[in-house]
Amino acid sequence: MSKVSIENKILEHLKQGNSINQWQSYELFNFTRLSAVIFNLKEKGYNIKDEWRKTEKGKKFKVYWLPVMEEKVKKEKQEDEQLGLGIKVRTKYKYPDW
């Protein structure tokens, strides 16, 4: 049985049309160095987009996605802003519709 690298797991997550942030990286993969993996994937030529977001309390975090999911991410951001939360709060196992 071959072991799948964390980089491949995150890339597959993004290719499935999901976005990811640091907290999700920890919850899904028990991994805390998401920005390092994103940097490596960008160096390999993947066109990963990112955007800063804010929580209700003003904490900043980055969300990453592949461009094919641009519309989904924009829609999520609009919904977040309408709720006034900055992020969506969903149950732990409702992925990929975080």
Side-chain angles (χ1 to χ4, degrees):
M1 175 177 6
S2 68
K3 191 173 182 177
V4 179
S5 73
I6 190 66
E7 189 174 283
N8 288 336
K9 288 179 183 180
I10 290 172
L11 180 59
E12 187 59 35
H13 181 77
L14 293 172
K15 284 182 175 179
Q16 290 174 0
N18 302 306
S19 58
I20 192 165
N21 63 41
Q22 182 62 48
W23 180 251
Q24 291 169 320
S25 173
Y26 182 73
E27 282 193 329
L28 292 171
F29 308 115
N30 200 27
F31 185 71
T32 59
R33 297 202 56 228
L34 177 62
S35 61
V37 169
I38 297 297
F39 176 83
N40 291 338
L41 290 172
K42 285 181 176 182
E43 287 290 309
K44 290 181 179 181
Y46 291 98
N47 185 20
I48 298 172
K49 302 288 185 181
D50 59 66
E51 177 181 73
W52 284 101
R53 303 242 181 117
K54 280 187 178 182
T55 65
E56 187 178 82
K57 295 184 178 187
K59 302 273 186 185
K60 290 183 180 181
F61 64 97
K62 261 193 179 178
V63 176
Y64 302 94
W65 70 92
L66 288 172
V68 293
M69 296 310 302
E70 194 100 24
E71 291 303 314
K72 181 179 177 183
V73 172
K74 285 180 183 177
K75 183 179 180 231
E76 288 175 350
K77 183 180 179 189
Q78 288 173 344
E79 290 172 359
D80 291 347
E81 289 171 352
Q82 288 172 355
L83 294 172
L85 296 176
I87 62 170
K88 288 185 181 178
V89 178
R90 299 205 181 176
T91 59
K92 184 175 181 178
Y93 299 105
K94 294 273 183 163
Y95 296 103
D97 289 326
W98 65 278

